[in-house]
Structures are given as structure tokens and as C-alpha cells.
Amino acid sequence: MGDSGAYASSHDDIIPVIIVGAGPVGLLLALRLAQSNIRSVVLEQATTLGTAPRAIGYYGPVHNVFKEAGIYDQVSTEGMASGGYVWRTLPTEDAKGTKTLGSVLGQNIMSHPDSDGRYKICSYSIQLAQCRLAEIMLEEAAKTGLTEVVWDQRVAGLSQDEKGVTVTTVSGQGESRNFRGLYLAGCDGGKSNVRKLLGITLAGHSWPERFIATDVLRTAPVVADPPVHFTVDPRYWAVVTPLEPVKPGTRGLWRYSMAVPAYEEADDGSKITLTDEQVLEPSYVDSLLLRQIDGPRPSDHVVKRKSLYKMHQLLASTMHRGRCFLAGDAAHINNPIGGLGLCTGLLDADALHQTLEIVRRTIDPQAVFSRYSAERRRVFQNIIHPFSSANKTRLHSANPEDTAREDWYFQALRRGDAKELEQIHAPLYKEWRTDMWELIGTSLKDV
């Protein structure tokens, strides 16, 4: 039966699954494999988990994946719950310089908490920094005894044959190592070495704007309900969300993710495009933040972390080649508005875990592998790409009041027809996650 039983019977020096990338996608895959009694080795180029501000929101079927992985309770407790999203104008300023949250242009109320203050699973969004999510996954994977993370390993070469995959890595000190495994999962991000070594190309487009994500410690004078909002503005659009449970008048950690305008005007009226280094200067970052942060002036905010990104809409030509797979940003990249990037990557990891379970019970593993690639690429092309593109352009394509009045989605939110809104959002709840067992593995479950 193809590779049936290979995970259990392979020699100690043959790794059942090599995973490249110790981000949440790779670590979730490692955790789920371990829970299926499948050993893996995770190769990570960095020397420790990353701390840069990246993804923050997890909702829909991702909650079920967390539940099945045994981490939902911890993630939901540590994160800030949001029962929906609000679209606002930029904050307004009074004569004393104090700023208040901008006026509401639209809101999507997903659900309300129960009497105990907790939301039903899958009915809300959990706001938690990606770096903390990775820590939780790593801690849980380590407990299994079936996951090993090898740090400081840059993938420099790979080859595969009918029996396995050989990966060559180089450390920061120039030391070379070889790892031999049955399968390889490339979860190594948008600049994936695995994807490049496999000769798999990305197709799509890049957005002209840059985007800066900042983790900010601040005292919020109010915490709106829902606490997450999008700033709609042709020039200074943004996303604002708490990163932990916060209360008014108490310091807490917030994420301010903001567009970097294409240019700034000089004193003589000429247009200047800032370099990345100039954008990351504290004074410029503060100039962006002070347009978004509500409350008295001077503001008490402190920037803890910041990262500057370019935005893309890109998809790999395939997510499978031979015994090698891609998942997460290694396979597809979209702009971050709406939290569709990492969530889609986590659902890739979920589908790949199912795939690697199914191949233990089938005589035709390549057909299963091909279906994994086809289904996850379909999800990106038909759901994630159009949804994320609309999420972004809705924030900056016109005057805020015009957008609120004329955009079809805002019109639907105002009508408040539950069935209509359910139909609009249905792809993210019914098709985002791929059930590989239902597609091709149901008859094999008892084998």
C-alpha cells in the first residue's frame, strides 16, 4: 500500500516528515502530526521564534482546528475576543487636541457573548499576536516528544527520489548538514527557499503601498464594542485592534497597522517618496500613530515593536511536487486586511495533516497529494484572493462617506438581513477549511 506503515517502520535516521519553518503554520503541522503519532523535525533558519508584528486575528473554522489541536482554550483565554468589526473615519480632534474615535461608517456584528461573558466557538474573532500563538504551539508540540526543532538551519538544497527527500542546510557558521525524510513540508514563508528549490513559481501582483505594523502599549480612554476597527481613508487607512484583554483607563497592548502614504509633501510642495529607513524612523512612525490613536495629548503610547511590509496577491503554480508540499505564505500571499493570510495558512496545515494521515492507508498517494494542492489553491483563487482584495480597496478607494453610502457591502450591513449576510460570509465558514477525509479518505478511515 504505497507508503502505508512507513511512518512507524522507518529507521531512526529517516525522518517521517521534515518541516521547514517554525512559524505557526509549520508548528501547527508538527503538533497535529505528533498527535497522530507521526514524528517530524522542524528546520528553522532563525535562532529563535520571531517576534515581529504580523498576524493577529483568528476566526471561523480556524477555531475548530485549534480545538482539535488542544489549544483553543489557551488561545481564547489569552487573546482578546471581538464579536465583530467596525469601520470608522479617522479620529476627530477637539480644541484641546484630545482625539475621539472616528464616526462609525459600518459594522459587522458576528455574535454576542453568552451570560458568562464567553462567545461560542467559531462565532467571533480571537485577537492574539502571531508570535504568542507560535509559542503556544511550540510548547504543546514539545510535550509530545515527537517534534524536534533544529534552529539556525537555512535550507540550501534538496533532492528527492521515489523513497524520500534529502534536505541540505547551512548554519550561520557555515556548517552543512543533511536530513533525510519521507516527506517535506515547506512552511518557510513568502521568500520560501523550498519553493524556489522546487522550481515552483508565484503569479499575481504587488500592491503599490507599504504597510507598517506596530505593537503599542497605551492607555485607552474607551474600549469600544467591538474593539476592532478599520480606519477608512484614502491616505491614512489602518487596522486597530487590542492584542490582549484590555479595559478603559488601563495600559494594554494594541496593534496599529497603518498604510504608508505613497508620498509626503515637502515645504515647497514637491512630492517625496520616503525610503524604508525613513518610514521606520520613530518620529515618522509617531506621526502616523498620532493620526489613529484616540485620547488626550500628549499621548502616553510606547512603540514596543514595528515592522514594515510590502503587500502582494500571489499564488504558487502548485502546492505539491513529488514528496514535497507547500503551505502558508510559501504557497500564497495576500494583503493582511481581514486576517485571511495566516488563517488560510493554518487551514493549509490542517489539510496537509489530513493528507499525510490518508496516505498511510492508500495505494495511490500521489493522487491524494495532487488533490491537496488543487483544493487549497482553489480556496485561495476563489475565496481568499477576492475577499482580501475587496477588504483592502474598501478602505481607501474613495471618500469615507461616499464609500459608506455606495459600497455594496456597507449597504448590506445597513440592511441587516441575517440571511443575506450569512450568504455573503458563507464561503469563509463552509469552504475555507478543506476536509480531505470527506473528499477522498472516508472509505480509508478504518483501514
Side-chain angles (χ1 to χ4, degrees), residues 131-170:
C131 56
R132 179 55 189 149
L133 179 64
E135 289 175 348
I136 293 171
M137 291 175 173
L138 180 58
E139 291 163 4
E140 291 302 309
K143 293 176 185 177
T144 68
L146 291 172
T147 301
E148 177 187 2
V149 179
V150 187
W151 305 97
D152 191 24
Q153 300 296 312
R154 178 179 61 84
V155 172
L158 70 84
S159 62
Q160 56 180 318
D161 53 43
E162 62 182 13
K163 294 184 177 181
V165 182
T166 299
V167 178
T168 301
T169 64
V170 179

Side-chain angles (χ1 to χ4, degrees), residues 33-256:
L33 290 173
Q35 291 167 340
S36 296
N37 201 34
I38 299 173
R39 184 170 63 91
S40 68
V41 170
V42 182
L43 307 177
E44 170 55 48
Q45 181 171 336
T47 57
T48 187
L49 290 176
T51 60
R54 295 183 68 86
I56 44 174
Y58 317 97
Y59 58 99
V62 175
H63 288 193
N64 288 329
V65 174
F66 286 167
K67 190 75 172 179
E68 292 165 19
I71 62 173
Y72 173 77
D73 289 344
Q74 185 174 0
V75 172
S76 61
T77 299
E78 291 192 24
M80 177 73 176
S82 180
Y85 309 95
V86 174
W87 287 260
R88 297 180 180 273
T89 61
L90 281 166
T92 57
E93 185 175 335
D94 66 17
K96 296 181 179 180
T98 298
K99 290 195 173 184
T100 57
L101 291 173
S103 58
V104 173
L105 300 169
Q107 59 181 355
N108 171 27
I109 304 301
M110 301 160 65
S111 67
H112 297 282
D114 293 333
S115 57
D116 62 359
R118 298 183 67 86
Y119 290 85
K120 287 185 173 64
I121 189 170
C122 300
S123 72
Y124 69 111
S125 178
I126 302 171
Q127 309 300 118
L128 182 70
Q130 173 178 322
C131 56
R132 179 55 189 149
L133 179 64
E135 289 175 348
I136 293 171
M137 291 175 173
L138 180 58
E139 291 163 4
E140 291 302 309
K143 293 176 185 177
T144 68
L146 291 172
T147 301
E148 177 187 2
V149 179
V150 187
W151 305 97
D152 191 24
Q153 300 296 312
R154 178 179 61 84
V155 172
L158 70 84
S159 62
Q160 56 180 318
D161 53 43
E162 62 182 13
K163 294 184 177 181
V165 182
T166 299
V167 178
T168 301
T169 64
V170 179
S171 71
Q173 290 71 42
E175 298 173 352
S176 180
R177 292 181 64 179
N178 287 329
F179 297 85
R180 179 70 174 173
L182 295 178
Y183 299 107
L184 169 68
C187 307
D188 49 338
K191 297 179 180 179
S192 170
N193 283 342
V194 171
R195 185 187 66 240
K196 294 171 185 175
L197 290 167
L198 290 171
I200 297 173
T201 57
L202 292 173
H205 71 87
S206 298
W207 299 97
E209 307 95 339
R210 289 168 291 177
F211 198 63
I212 186 166
T214 61
D215 289 349
V216 176
L217 193 64
R218 63 176 291 251
T219 304
V222 297
V223 177
D225 183 21
V228 179
H229 80 256
F230 302 95
T231 300
V232 181
D233 188 82
R235 189 167 170 81
Y236 297 107
W237 50 277
V239 185
V240 179
T241 176
L243 292 176
E244 60 187 5
V246 293
K247 297 179 179 180
T250 303
R251 288 180 75 75
L253 194 63
W254 292 70
R255 169 69 57 78
Y256 284 80

Side-chain angles (χ1 to χ4, degrees), residues 139-397:
E139 291 163 4
E140 291 302 309
K143 293 176 185 177
T144 68
L146 291 172
T147 301
E148 177 187 2
V149 179
V150 187
W151 305 97
D152 191 24
Q153 300 296 312
R154 178 179 61 84
V155 172
L158 70 84
S159 62
Q160 56 180 318
D161 53 43
E162 62 182 13
K163 294 184 177 181
V165 182
T166 299
V167 178
T168 301
T169 64
V170 179
S171 71
Q173 290 71 42
E175 298 173 352
S176 180
R177 292 181 64 179
N178 287 329
F179 297 85
R180 179 70 174 173
L182 295 178
Y183 299 107
L184 169 68
C187 307
D188 49 338
K191 297 179 180 179
S192 170
N193 283 342
V194 171
R195 185 187 66 240
K196 294 171 185 175
L197 290 167
L198 290 171
I200 297 173
T201 57
L202 292 173
H205 71 87
S206 298
W207 299 97
E209 307 95 339
R210 289 168 291 177
F211 198 63
I212 186 166
T214 61
D215 289 349
V216 176
L217 193 64
R218 63 176 291 251
T219 304
V222 297
V223 177
D225 183 21
V228 179
H229 80 256
F230 302 95
T231 300
V232 181
D233 188 82
R235 189 167 170 81
Y236 297 107
W237 50 277
V239 185
V240 179
T241 176
L243 292 176
E244 60 187 5
V246 293
K247 297 179 179 180
T250 303
R251 288 180 75 75
L253 194 63
W254 292 70
R255 169 69 57 78
Y256 284 80
S257 301
M258 305 166 290
V260 177
Y263 63 87
E264 297 292 341
E265 286 194 5
D267 293 339
D268 61 2
S270 61
K271 297 178 179 179
I272 301 174
T273 300
L274 300 182
T275 65
D276 289 352
E277 292 75 18
Q278 289 173 316
V279 170
L280 289 169
E281 284 289 334
S283 60
Y284 186 76
V285 174
D286 271 353
S287 74
L288 295 177
L289 283 168
L290 290 172
R291 295 179 184 274
Q292 304 289 341
I293 293 177
D294 58 310
R297 297 297 186 264
S299 172
D300 72 347
H301 73 272
V302 176
V303 178
K304 306 298 289 185
R305 291 176 289 270
K306 57 189 176 184
S307 290
L308 183 63
Y309 301 101
K310 294 180 180 179
M311 294 178 288
H312 313 277
Q313 302 287 134
L314 301 169
L315 176 63
S317 57
T318 180
M319 293 173 64
H320 151 246
R321 186 156 286 173
R323 289 174 168 267
C324 301
F325 309 90
L326 300 177
D329 282 0
H332 44 70
I333 306 170
N334 56 270
N335 80 80
I337 309 303
L340 297 173
L342 178 54
C343 283
T344 302
L346 295 171
L347 295 173
D348 289 346
D350 167 62
L352 185 51
H353 161 242
Q354 296 175 57
T355 299
L356 292 170
E357 277 200 314
I358 291 171
V359 297
R360 293 196 286 183
R361 301 167 170 86
T362 180
I363 59 174
D364 189 9
Q366 290 298 318
V368 182
F369 299 157
S370 179
R371 192 64 182 272
Y372 159 78
S373 174
E375 291 300 321
R376 296 312 297 165
R377 291 185 74 255
R378 180 187 64 80
V379 166
F380 185 87
Q381 283 186 321
N382 292 354
I383 302 173
I384 304 309
H385 172 53
F387 270 60
S388 62
S389 296
N391 288 343
K392 174 185 176 295
T393 56
R394 186 172 290 120
L395 298 187
H396 61 77
S397 59

